[in-house]
Amino acid sequence: MASNNLINWYDTADSYGTGSLSGRSESLLGQFDSETAKKPKKPVYFCTKLAPFPWRIGKQSMIDTFSQSRKRLGRPIDMLQLHWPPSLGWQESNYLDAFTEIIASKEAKQLGMSNFGPKGLRRIDSELRKRGVTFHSNQVQFSLLSRQPLFNGFAETCAELQIQPIAYSPLALGLLTDKYTINNLPKGPRAILFREFLPVMSPLLNTLREIAKNRKKTVSQVALNWNLKKGFLVLVGIRSIDQAKENAGAAGWSLSDAEELALDAAADKVSKSLLQNPNQSD
């Protein structure tokens, strides 16, 4: 269903799945592609991220890691990304050398980054250009409850360097879906987060509901479209056909400038914001 509608790119990572399930997400995506190869569908694009684990030492280590991902996915990679900035820059130069070699082999078509802040983006852009290559995207945590990329120079840096920003967790772990209340919390650890945030989110949720009603959209669709209006692509987790259909409904239209400003103002009234991913750099 997804690959025949507005959803045509899939993001995964070699670290999605641990222990005996290491690389499981990539394997499942490759299996999906193989099983649907003969079925009519629009072109789909695979993006994966390689983790800079400290035991991955030297250029060849990352090339070997990529080869394993390439095998699991069963096809060249449309977008190869470094999952997060290596701590203290450990092996970063070697990883960039590896990515440069992979691009030259045409086993990956484009490079992207993930969790790099403005300073990191400028550093990586400079280092890759010395190697004769460029990168095209960067993933960060971004939503109406996590707007730091709008205020720390990230968005401006992306525009200057012509890097496409991509938002992960654009629905703030489900807080922006309007599917939960204090008396109907999600199961598991998220319940603690929801119990903390829902009481202070009324101004934002009310504005989302009003716009959703006027637009004949869902609250989730409006929240996702806000990301698109800000120039971010969105990564949304999908566990069912219904979720895929709802998420697809966030595309193909755009909030008005007035609606965007109303949501910005409502978000300003929320006294809390989600903590940023600790792997995100400055």
Side-chain angles (χ1 to χ4, degrees):
M1 173 265 165
S3 59
N4 280 316
N5 286 279
L6 295 174
I7 303 171
N8 67 344
W9 63 287
Y10 300 83
D11 182 80
T12 184
D14 73 322
S15 60
Y16 293 168
T18 58
S20 61
L21 296 179
S22 178
R24 181 62 171 161
S25 174
E26 290 179 330
S27 296
L28 289 173
L29 190 55
Q31 180 181 338
F32 154 78
D33 192 50
S34 176
E35 292 177 352
T36 60
K38 295 182 180 180
K39 296 180 181 180
K41 66 177 186 287
K42 295 179 181 178
V44 295
Y45 304 94
F46 285 180
C47 312
T48 197
K49 303 182 290 292
L50 303 185
F53 292 133
W55 55 84
R56 289 178 172 167
I57 299 174
K59 178 180 76 171
Q60 192 60 44
S61 175
M62 190 57 81
I63 291 175
D64 292 343
T65 296
F66 168 79
S67 296
Q68 294 168 15
S69 290
R70 166 69 172 82
K71 183 177 180 180
R72 285 190 290 264
L73 287 164
R75 55 180 276 186
I77 311 303
D78 295 293
M79 177 72 75
L80 175 64
Q81 304 153 101
L82 188 61
H83 204 156
W84 61 82
S87 179
L88 301 177
W90 171 250
Q91 298 296 310
E92 184 176 86
S93 180
N94 284 327
Y95 296 159
L96 296 182
D97 287 342
F99 278 23
T100 299
E101 189 168 316
I102 292 166
I103 286 293
S105 74
K106 301 190 184 303
E107 288 299 312
K109 299 177 183 178
Q110 290 187 333
L111 293 181
M113 296 293 145
S114 182
N115 290 306
F116 282 81
K119 293 180 182 178
L121 290 177
R122 292 186 184 281
R123 183 181 69 253
I124 296 297
D125 178 72
S126 175
E127 289 300 317
L128 283 175
R129 288 185 184 277
K130 291 176 185 176
R131 294 163 170 82
V133 296
T134 56
F135 71 107
H136 302 274
S137 66
N138 186 61
Q139 297 184 21
V140 289
Q141 181 181 327
F142 183 65
S143 72
L144 277 160
L145 291 176
S146 186
R147 298 183 296 155
Q148 290 90 332
L150 295 179
F151 308 125
N152 65 2
F154 174 83
E156 292 85 352
T157 301
C158 284
E160 178 186 338
L161 300 179
Q162 297 184 317
I163 296 166
Q164 175 62 56
I166 301 174
Y168 63 77
S169 200
L171 292 175
L173 301 175
L175 283 164
L176 296 171
T177 65
D178 201 28
K179 294 177 181 177
Y180 300 98
T181 66
I182 285 295
N183 297 317
N184 177 35
L185 296 170
K187 296 178 181 179
R190 281 195 303 159
I192 300 172
L193 182 72
F194 277 60
R195 192 175 288 112
E196 177 185 355
F197 270 81
L198 285 175
V200 300
M201 285 180 57
S202 294
L204 179 56
L205 286 175
N206 287 337
T207 303
L208 283 166
R209 290 168 186 147
E210 181 180 358
I211 294 173
K213 181 179 178 181
N214 293 337
R215 286 280 189 169
K216 297 187 166 119
K217 297 290 183 179
T218 68
V219 165
S220 294
Q221 289 168 343
V222 173
L224 290 174
N225 194 270
W226 176 86
N227 286 265
L228 300 177
K229 180 77 171 176
K230 295 297 185 184
F232 285 66
L233 298 180
V234 292
L235 288 175
V236 192
I238 295 173
R239 295 190 178 187
S240 68
I241 292 176
D242 286 342
Q243 285 185 347
K245 289 179 178 178
E246 181 175 8
N247 291 335
W253 61 282
S254 179
L255 291 166
S256 68
D257 292 345
E259 290 169 330
E260 178 189 8
L261 289 173
L263 287 170
D264 290 344
D268 285 339
K269 296 177 183 178
V270 179
S271 59
K272 296 178 179 291
S273 62
L274 290 176
L275 293 176
Q276 290 295 107
N277 186 329
N279 286 321
Q280 240 169 250
S281 73
D282 292 334

